[in-house]
Amino acid sequence: MTEHDLPDLPCNQFVELVTEYLDDTLTADERARVDQHLAICPGCRRVLAQWREVVRLTGRLAETEVDEID
């Protein structure tokens, strides 16, 4: 099965897989489906960019700052 034979990944499934995608814990087939979907879906590319920004920002928070978050 080639990447072009993979069924499209619905956006709601992408959202469920985004953390595993960022953690690089998806199988090769799952990652290929996500990459294929990202290539055609600007909305999910924005979601991924937002998650990357959250990870970048929260990686810089001190524990005391996390405790202050409402």
Side-chain angles (χ1 to χ4, degrees):
M1 178 179 276
T2 68
E3 184 174 310
H4 298 291
D5 296 329
L6 296 172
D8 187 33
L9 180 75
C11 296
N12 63 335
Q13 286 183 4
F14 167 76
V15 171
E16 293 174 8
L17 296 173
V18 71
T19 55
E20 290 90 350
Y21 182 84
L22 290 170
D23 289 339
D24 199 26
T25 58
L26 295 176
T27 66
D29 287 342
E30 288 171 323
R31 187 163 193 88
R33 283 187 73 203
V34 169
D35 288 337
Q36 180 181 356
H37 180 76
L38 288 170
I40 63 169
C41 185
C44 285
R45 286 194 303 270
R46 283 190 298 274
V47 168
L48 181 61
Q50 290 168 351
W51 272 101
R52 284 183 169 144
E53 183 67 6
V54 167
V55 168
R56 185 185 72 77
L57 291 172
T58 57
R60 297 182 349 184
L61 290 175
E63 189 172 331
T64 55
E65 293 172 313
V66 173
D67 292 339
E68 293 173 6
I69 295 175
D70 200 4

